[in-house]
Amino acid sequence: MSFDEVQALTFRAPDLEIVYGNDPLQYGSLWLPEEAEPGGAPLVVMIHGGCWENAYGIGHVRAFSTALADAGFAVWALEYRRTGDTGGGWPGSYEDVITALTATPSLARHAVDTSRMAIVGHSAGGHLALLAGGRLPGFQGTIGLAAITDIVRYAEGDNSCQQATEPFMGGPFAGNESRYRAANPAQQPRHEDTILLHGTADALVPVEHADLEHADARLVKGAGHFDWLHPGTAAFRTLTDTLEEVLAE
């Protein structure tokens, strides 16, 4: 699946927009299942990707979020400041994610079961999700979708997203080693239940990024980078199965 195919998908409007900070970009869109469980729906906090750049916002995960809600999950898709936004880049983008995640208990008032929560991130959003999952308690698991797990190694590449790493980090690795180490999931603590879902045909984030110590790697043969965001794919079905496993009562 291509990015354009994901963008062309239909979706329904979110049920609520919930702010978690004072900046206009510090909010999340909440989708709820049409038929909630008696104790509320389990929560998926979704962190979108887009090479950390402000050219790519929450819009491209609206169909994804709609489909997960149709599958019975509450989905809080986060917007956050990115490279090009005032306060975005490292560490501002990560700090936005942390701030939002600490606000998840307040979602209980919206028919959300906050005793069953998972963090999910795609691509650059997966990078942020892995870092946050290793820091915050209260989540049953962290799932990276084509996640960037080694930002130092990723910065060495030359595709369009890899070239976006230095602007996000505020400079090259040389001379900024401690900064990169703090931003590198491969060198930071992670959630004890970390699952990496990756396609073998990913052209933007090499499949080697699924090889992370103390993480459960699950590969989908032939899946590309954006298959995870398209409800009609085997990759998406793998995600829903994984969420049901992680968020089982």
Side-chain angles (χ1 to χ4, degrees):
M1 293 294 171
S2 68
F3 182 74
D4 288 342
E5 287 173 299
V6 169
Q7 286 275 74
L9 292 167
T10 59
F11 59 88
R12 66 176 171 88
D15 295 279
L16 292 166
E17 301 281 10
I18 300 173
V19 300
Y20 62 84
N22 295 324
D23 191 277
L25 292 171
Q26 293 172 325
Y27 72 92
S29 298
L30 180 66
W31 280 263
L32 298 169
E34 291 187 2
E35 295 184 9
E37 299 179 24
L43 178 67
V44 174
V45 182
M46 176 59 182
I47 306 169
H48 72 78
C51 309
W52 305 284
E53 296 179 330
N54 65 0
Y56 305 100
I58 196 174
H60 72 275
V61 298
R62 287 173 178 155
F64 167 93
S65 301
T66 297
L68 280 186
D70 289 344
F73 302 97
V75 183
W76 196 31
L78 302 182
E79 191 55 283
Y80 55 96
R81 296 171 298 169
R82 288 144 284 146
T83 308
D85 298 318
T86 301
W90 182 264
S93 300
Y94 173 61
E95 291 170 347
D96 281 2
V97 169
I98 292 293
T99 300
L101 290 172
T102 58
T104 51
S106 67
L107 301 182
R109 71 187 73 169
H110 303 300
V112 172
D113 182 357
T114 54
S115 70
R116 291 186 292 158
M117 302 190 295
I119 307 169
V120 175
H122 176 246
S123 191
H127 159 257
L128 298 172
L130 293 173
L131 290 171
R135 174 175 167 181
L136 296 177
F139 295 89
Q140 278 57 62
T142 302
I143 301 173
L145 308 177
I148 298 165
T149 64
D150 189 333
I151 198 169
V152 176
R153 182 170 57 176
Y154 198 67
E156 296 171 351
D158 59 5
N159 73 36
S160 59
C161 203
Q162 290 167 327
Q163 291 176 353
T165 308
E166 285 191 14
F168 170 71
M169 289 301 302
F173 175 70
N176 294 289
E177 290 85 354
S178 62
R179 188 176 178 87
Y180 273 75
R181 182 169 57 250
N184 196 7
Q187 296 174 279
Q188 293 297 320
R190 62 193 61 93
H191 194 285
E192 61 182 8
D193 194 359
T194 294
I195 301 172
L196 299 176
L197 304 182
H198 219 108
T200 61
D202 195 316
L204 283 178
V205 180
V207 70
E208 289 78 14
H209 280 263
D211 184 14
L212 184 65
E213 189 177 9
H214 305 307
D216 179 6
R218 304 180 185 183
L219 305 183
V220 175
K221 187 176 181 179
H225 190 69
F226 297 104
D227 285 38
W228 303 103
L229 304 182
H230 196 297
T233 64
F236 187 85
R237 291 190 294 275
T238 298
L239 170 61
T240 56
D241 290 345
T242 303
L243 285 169
E244 289 173 1
E245 171 191 328
V246 171
L247 295 172
E249 292 189 85

